Amino acid sequence: MDEVDGMSAGDRGGVQELISIIKSTRVPIICIANDDGHPKVRSLANHCLKLKFRRPMVSQVRRRLKYICDREGFRNMSPEVLDEVAEACHGDIRQMINMLQSWQARKQSVSQAEAKGYLSSEGKGFQQQPIFDLFKVFFEKNADIYQRLDKYFMDPDLVPLMVQENYVHFSAAEDIDKLAKATDLMSMADIGNKQLRESSRWDLMPTIALLSSVYPGSILASHLMGRPNFPSWLGKMSSERKSVRLAQEIDMHIKTRVNTDWKLLLLDYAPCLRSHLSLPMIRNGKEGVQTVIDLLDEYYLSNVDWETILDLTSVQQRSNPKDSIPSAVKSTFTRTYQSGDHVSSTVSLTQMKKSGR
């Protein structure tokens, strides 16, 4: 099982099922994860023998590369050259072997100077930098356009997000004209990035690099006031995807009663359902429980959907109605719902996708 720490809500119950299989099987199951301390796999880790692997050291890789070169007839490879290859590939042994194979096709011996030239031409001549140090280069007054472009392509996904998150915190941003110009450029870059993603217009990447990071950084080149912040957009995107998925699940359940999609559901139906699913229990207490359950059954919704609707329709300016329902009433609601029989929707998510909704 690869990437077990990547199990998301789409794999609901997957971890528990995997644990039950591990308990009963006689065949070893190898679970691979990048972060064994992630909350998603914390319960799974209690049933596994942890074997941690580290990136191989240069001295270890050098001996193996030397052995491979000798067996393949690629002789006279000095330890210095092999060290250059190992450091440039950052522990990726497969990439090292592929690189040496391509060099062997050119000549039977490579000097250290030639190796550096090959690595530079193949994009391996730079050293990885932490993203918090990387994006600051764009706001240095002495950095030229080529330095900024090189830094951009080290991480073209995260660098523009770092620039957008922190550009207002540079001292030059106090000039409103410069700030407005930099903002306009990044807005244009977002338009280009959308074209790149939707139409695979990879030829736009240099232009996007200039508009999103290089040019705004040169306009606001100054010192950072305070600490750099990690892009909050990533967290917002994760929350949005979760909300969309939950809305699609509710839309799937309610589809047999309401002809809508998840967007209209959130805009038109969910606010109305919010009131009818909460006010009876807020006003009437336990006597309003059955009214809410009857409404859920009418639209083929579950008690989980009840909680989801109240969460999705609650924003910072509006409190969640669940907070106004006494704990005893909510407990009664849960027990009453679970003790009864309820009809579920027969519409599947696959059918919804095939219909284009």
Side-chain angles (χ1 to χ4, degrees):
M1 287 291 296
D2 194 10
E3 301 288 353
V4 292
D5 55 333
M7 285 189 177
S8 61
D11 306 303
R12 186 172 296 173
V15 173
Q16 295 302 322
E17 182 64 24
L18 183 57
I19 292 174
S20 64
I21 294 175
I22 291 174
K23 290 180 178 179
S24 60
T25 185
R26 295 185 178 182
V27 179
I29 297 178
I30 300 175
C31 301
I32 304 174
N34 295 319
D35 182 8
D36 64 333
H38 196 282
K40 294 180 181 178
V41 294
R42 194 169 295 163
S43 57
L44 177 63
N46 295 329
H47 301 273
C48 299
L49 172 64
K50 294 183 182 179
L51 299 175
K52 295 188 177 182
F53 294 86
R54 298 179 179 178
R55 181 179 297 175
M57 295 185 294
V58 173
S59 58
Q60 296 173 317
V61 176
R62 182 201 310 134
R63 291 195 296 269
R64 191 62 185 175
L65 292 179
K66 180 63 176 174
Y67 172 79
I68 294 173
C69 289
D70 292 341
R71 293 295 298 267
E72 295 295 330
F74 198 19
R75 305 185 185 281
N76 301 322
M77 293 292 290
S78 66
E80 291 77 13
V81 172
L82 298 178
D83 288 350
E84 292 282 351
V85 174
E87 291 176 359
C89 293
H90 306 289
D92 190 338
I93 297 178
R94 179 171 55 183
Q95 192 174 46
M96 299 176 200
I97 296 174
N98 290 338
M99 190 175 295
L100 291 172
Q101 185 178 11
S102 67
W103 291 0
Q104 187 185 25
R106 304 179 192 180
K107 54 193 310 184
Q108 289 297 315
S109 180
V110 177
S111 65
Q112 187 174 5
E114 290 174 327
K116 289 183 177 180
Y118 290 155
L119 292 171
S120 179
S121 63
E122 294 171 6
K124 297 296 180 183
F126 60 84
Q127 295 293 324
Q128 292 285 353
Q129 290 181 261
I131 189 63
F132 290 100
D133 296 332
L134 191 62
F135 93 99
K136 292 180 182 179
V137 176
F138 296 92
F139 297 91
E140 293 178 357
K141 295 181 179 180
N142 298 327
D144 59 32
I145 185 173
Y146 299 107
Q147 288 178 309
R148 290 186 171 103
L149 282 173
D150 287 341
K151 300 298 183 183
Y152 174 87
F153 284 104
M154 286 185 182
D155 197 336
D157 292 322
L158 194 54
V159 164
L161 293 178
M162 287 292 296
V163 173
Q164 292 178 25
E165 182 72 22
N166 295 281
Y167 77 105
V168 296
H169 302 303
F170 283 83
S171 58
E174 295 178 356
D175 187 331
I176 192 65
D177 293 329
K178 291 183 178 180
L179 183 64
K181 189 172 184 179
T183 304
D184 287 341
L185 290 169
M186 286 186 280
S187 298
M188 294 171 62
D190 283 340
I191 297 174
N193 190 55
K194 183 178 180 181
Q195 289 292 321
L196 183 148
R197 303 293 179 182
E198 293 181 351
S199 306
S200 298
R201 291 289 307 277
W202 302 105
D203 57 305
L204 294 176
M205 284 200 72
T207 303
I208 295 172
L210 290 170
L211 294 176
S212 67
S213 305
V214 176
Y215 198 5
S218 63
I219 293 174
L220 299 175
S222 56
H223 66 276
L224 178 64
M225 298 184 295
R227 297 175 57 185
N229 299 317
F230 196 74
S232 58
W233 179 85
L234 295 173
K236 299 294 184 182
M237 180 187 64
S238 177
S239 300
E240 180 189 9
R241 288 182 175 178
K242 179 181 178 181
S243 298
V244 169
R245 177 184 57 78
L246 293 174
Q248 288 175 336
E249 289 183 1
I250 295 175
D251 181 49
M252 177 181 66
H253 298 160
I254 207 174
K255 185 66 68 177
T256 54
R257 285 292 187 185
V258 178
N259 185 19
T260 183
D261 57 27
W262 67 268
K263 294 181 181 179
L264 291 177
L265 176 69
L266 287 179
L267 292 173
D268 299 333
Y269 290 92
C272 182
L273 287 172
R274 166 193 168 100
S275 300
H276 287 79
L277 292 176
S278 59
L279 289 180
M281 289 192 288
I282 294 175
R283 294 174 177 174
N284 304 323
K286 295 181 180 180
E287 296 179 359
V289 167
Q290 192 59 47
T291 303
V292 173
I293 293 177
D294 291 341
L295 182 61
L296 291 175
D297 291 340
E298 178 71 18
Y299 287 95
Y300 300 107
L301 298 173
S302 66
N303 59 333
V304 176
D305 295 329
W306 171 81
E307 187 171 0
T308 300
I309 290 173
L310 298 186
D311 289 339
L312 289 177
T313 54
S314 299
V315 293
Q316 293 180 353
Q317 292 77 14
R318 301 176 63 187
S319 61
N320 195 319
K322 290 190 300 182
D323 300 334
S324 302
I325 302 175
S327 300
V329 177
K330 286 189 285 188
S331 299
T332 302
F333 166 74
T334 303
R335 288 194 302 269
T336 305
Y337 185 89
Q338 292 178 347
S339 63
D341 296 327
H342 309 280
V343 180
S344 61
S345 173
T346 57
V347 178
S348 67
L349 189 58
T350 303
Q351 291 172 326
M352 290 175 59
K353 290 181 178 179
K354 287 182 178 179
S355 65
R357 295 179 179 176

